[in-house]
Amino acid sequence: KHIEYIKSKAWQRINIMRKLKFTLDRNSLETIYISFIRPVLEYGDTIFDNCSQGEKEELEKIQHEAARIVTGATKLVSIEKLLKEVGWETLFKRRYNNKLVTFYKMINNLAPPYLCQLVPNTIANITNYNLRNNDHIQTIRTRTTLYHNSFLPSVVRDWNSLPESTRSSPSIISFKKTLCTKTHVPKHFYYGERKLQIDLTIIRTNCSALNYDLHSKNMSDTPLCICGGVENAKHYLLECKLYSNYRADLFQTLNHFTDISLTILING
């Protein structure tokens, strides 16, 4: 019931974002998602992380749609390229990190006492032998899959699988940094007119209307341009004879600043 509630609430706000897709810039749309939608999807996530795989995928779809709105990518974009373009971690990864951060606080007495007292003993405290995993937390025995996947049993397993250097981080900030796998998004991806932001995104992520991109998705009979070359991003921006005059004007302007290449044009 909780997941159905947050899905409904999040989709309502996604629909508002969708109406603003061509009105607001990329930075504003991203701020809306991170400030007003993602917190809805993550409220109590350390508790409900043992939900079904289908429910987890439904939550991810909401973030994927938000990423498409923010970047301007189309439905043809691959999820891997979409998340790399926007620089977000999956909700699954964020829940995994949130659980470990909560457990770090419990172990180091940074959480309320009723949580700290739930931490099981270390292996060293329950055996007289000098074992290689003495610093590990004792795993919790479970009889049901539901309990096995619930917060405490699962986070103990996740904690023990971390490198010792991560578990012994001196502060909560340093611990969070070791868990972070976010992709850096260049600042200039947020500059310029909204239409230009979208045009560059769909070219970068191979979900444009170029025949090469459409052909790779089985949506075009040929990857060729009407001029005869393979209509990919390089051909469109650097080679196609149909746009020679536009290209000459562009290069005349940009050559004052840098050598022109495909990477420079679509990535900055």
Side-chain angles (χ1 to χ4, degrees):
K1 289 182 179 179
H2 173 75
I3 292 177
E4 287 300 319
Y5 170 72
I6 63 176
K7 281 169 50 182
S8 175
K9 190 173 183 180
W11 276 121
Q12 290 175 2
R13 299 184 181 188
I14 288 290
N15 290 333
I16 296 175
M17 275 186 66
R18 190 179 288 115
K19 294 178 182 179
L20 300 171
K21 178 177 180 179
F22 300 105
T23 305
L24 298 180
D25 60 21
R26 175 169 173 163
N27 185 61
S28 299
L29 290 167
E30 185 170 344
T31 299
I32 289 174
Y33 172 69
I34 292 176
S35 301
F36 300 109
I37 300 177
R38 193 165 68 184
V40 172
L41 298 174
E42 294 187 333
Y43 181 74
D45 62 352
T46 57
I47 299 172
F48 71 72
D49 188 46
N50 63 335
C51 62
S52 70
Q53 183 61 31
E55 289 168 328
K56 292 177 181 179
E57 291 173 358
E58 289 297 316
L59 293 175
E60 295 289 352
K61 287 179 182 178
I62 299 175
Q63 174 160 275
H64 297 162
E65 181 60 20
R68 280 191 285 264
I69 294 171
V70 167
T71 61
T74 69
K75 292 283 188 180
L76 299 179
V77 69
S78 73
I79 299 303
E80 181 182 356
K81 290 183 178 180
L82 178 64
L83 293 179
K84 181 179 179 181
E85 170 72 19
V86 80
W88 298 343
E89 295 173 311
T90 64
L91 294 178
F92 174 83
K93 174 61 175 175
R94 287 180 59 82
R95 287 194 301 272
Y96 171 83
N97 289 351
N98 290 341
K99 288 166 63 176
L100 287 171
V101 168
T102 299
F103 197 62
Y104 178 93
K105 294 178 180 178
M106 292 166 62
I107 286 179
N108 292 279
N109 293 314
L110 301 174
Y114 71 88
L115 289 178
C116 296
Q117 67 186 12
L118 296 177
V119 178
N121 287 318
T122 61
I123 299 297
N125 289 334
I126 61 174
T127 181
N128 295 323
Y129 298 101
N130 186 20
L131 303 177
R132 286 182 298 176
N133 62 342
N134 269 354
D135 60 336
H136 284 192
I137 303 294
Q138 183 184 13
T139 56
I140 299 174
R141 294 182 179 180
T142 60
R143 292 184 178 180
T144 65
T145 301
L146 186 64
Y147 183 42
H148 181 77
N149 293 328
S150 64
F151 170 69
L152 197 57
S154 64
V155 78
V156 168
R157 297 192 301 272
D158 293 337
W159 178 267
N160 289 337
S161 67
L162 293 175
E164 192 280 331
S165 58
T166 299
R167 298 197 303 269
S168 59
S169 297
S171 69
I172 189 69
I173 295 177
S174 61
F175 181 72
K176 288 180 178 179
K177 286 182 178 179
T178 63
L179 298 178
C180 183
T181 57
K182 289 177 61 178
T183 304
H184 173 70
V185 178
K187 291 183 178 179
H188 52 265
F189 279 19
Y190 297 91
Y191 296 159
E193 298 178 0
R194 176 61 176 164
K195 184 179 184 303
L196 180 59
Q197 291 177 351
I198 293 176
D199 288 343
L200 289 173
T201 294
I202 63 178
I203 292 175
R204 275 196 300 268
T205 55
N206 301 112
C207 63
S208 71
L210 297 175
N211 279 335
Y212 179 83
D213 293 341
L214 295 177
H215 184 69
S216 66
K217 305 293 191 304
N218 297 318
M219 297 183 65
S220 174
D221 294 332
T222 176
L224 302 180
C225 174
I226 58 176
C227 73
V230 176
E231 193 182 44
N232 54 21
K234 181 180 179 182
H235 174 81
Y236 174 63
L237 293 171
L238 298 176
E239 301 169 353
C240 186
K241 299 175 181 179
L242 300 178
Y243 306 107
S244 298
N245 293 335
Y246 297 105
R247 190 176 298 110
D249 293 340
L250 175 66
F251 283 18
Q252 186 175 0
T253 302
L254 294 183
N255 277 329
H256 295 292
F257 305 101
T258 184
D259 294 330
I260 304 302
S261 67
L262 180 63
T263 300
I264 289 292
L265 288 178
I266 65 176
N267 293 307

